[in-house]
Amino acid sequence: MLRQGGHPAGLQEWFDKLAGRIAEARAQLEQVAPSKVAMYSGCELDADGAFRLTFFWRDYFIRPPDFVVRRADTGAEVTSFIQALILTYMTTADGTTPSSRWIAFRELPDGMFYAQAFRGYAEDRLVRELGDGSIAAFRRGAERLGGAPLELGDAGYAFAVLPRIHLAAIYWLGDDEFPSRASILFEDTACRYMPTDGLAILGSHLVGALVKAARG
């Protein structure tokens, strides 16, 4: 589950604005036809009017008119952090077809501003916590999460973290001269579904999930 703790100070603005983001997103959803929201976001729309989607391998539903995000298995209301991410996705989505064209974080809108920090708490962290040169651990974690293999780097996998947001994790094995390195890539259409600060959070969480899965 996504939690506020563990994210860098550079994303504190997201946390400070959680309540406002949630309220604003719910107000926007009230003004849009449910069929249009479903079409643009790729959510499923039940006969009873509830939206359903999968977010980081867990299923959720959102039912009008309150638009509270709940777990599909228990019906429990989720944290405000997850509420904000899912509702932001639903209101940002514009229906653009995912491109399958991968770009680095710095190529996202305003990505250069956060690129160095993102490398430290996401990409460098992946190598650091798995152990430099531990490509086997990287593959193990990615395969346990159901990643789709990519022909990028020495090992690469793609992950669907929301219906129309895909991330890729790529690993390059080091040698005597250069250390191993990793990259988290985004489809160039991802910004049509989530602002850059939200994408940074998704990338950081993917790294955490990979490390946890690799360790079993």
Side-chain angles (χ1 to χ4, degrees):
M1 179 178 292
L2 289 171
R3 295 181 176 86
Q4 176 174 340
H7 292 294
L11 296 180
Q12 187 62 44
E13 183 179 357
W14 175 280
F15 306 126
D16 292 342
K17 295 182 177 179
L18 279 180
R21 285 178 182 263
I22 293 170
E24 180 180 350
R26 287 174 176 160
Q28 291 179 23
L29 289 170
E30 289 177 355
Q31 304 302 315
V32 184
S35 59
K36 187 174 181 179
V37 174
M39 179 177 66
Y40 281 4
S41 66
C43 294
E44 296 181 5
L45 187 59
D46 287 353
D48 65 355
F51 299 98
R52 293 186 180 270
L53 57 72
T54 300
F55 177 56
F56 277 105
W57 310 289
R58 179 170 284 171
D59 295 330
Y60 299 88
F61 71 89
I62 307 95
R63 180 173 286 113
D66 58 3
F67 296 101
V68 172
V69 181
R70 299 181 183 276
R71 285 180 50 167
D73 55 350
T74 65
E77 182 175 343
V78 301
T79 64
S80 59
F81 188 48
I82 296 178
Q83 299 265 353
L85 286 167
I86 290 178
L87 294 175
T88 296
Y89 169 77
M90 293 175 66
T91 55
T92 305
D94 68 1
T96 299
T97 301
S99 66
S100 298
R101 293 188 295 271
W102 300 107
I103 61 173
F105 183 83
R106 66 179 179 276
E107 298 174 83
L108 295 169
D110 297 321
M112 284 297 297
F113 183 76
Y114 296 107
Q116 184 174 356
F118 182 75
R119 170 158 292 282
Y121 65 73
E123 298 168 327
D124 291 348
R125 174 192 168 201
L126 183 57
V127 175
R128 184 171 61 249
E129 295 204 19
L130 292 181
D132 188 7
S134 187
I135 195 169
F138 172 75
R139 288 194 177 108
R140 181 169 62 248
E143 290 168 4
R144 285 176 175 171
L145 295 179
L150 295 173
E151 294 184 1
L152 294 172
D154 291 303
Y157 295 85
F159 305 87
V161 301
L162 278 161
R164 291 182 179 165
I165 294 183
H166 300 83
L167 275 59
I170 314 298
Y171 196 101
W172 285 269
L173 191 61
D175 54 29
D176 292 338
E177 296 185 19
F178 299 99
S180 299
R181 62 187 179 93
S183 289
I184 302 299
L185 305 181
F186 303 78
E187 286 181 299
D188 64 4
T189 50
C191 58
R192 311 302 292 266
Y193 289 89
M194 182 75 69
T196 298
D197 55 357
L199 292 172
I201 292 171
L202 300 185
S204 176
H205 184 63
L206 175 61
V207 167
L210 284 166
V211 170
K212 182 177 180 180
R215 293 173 176 170

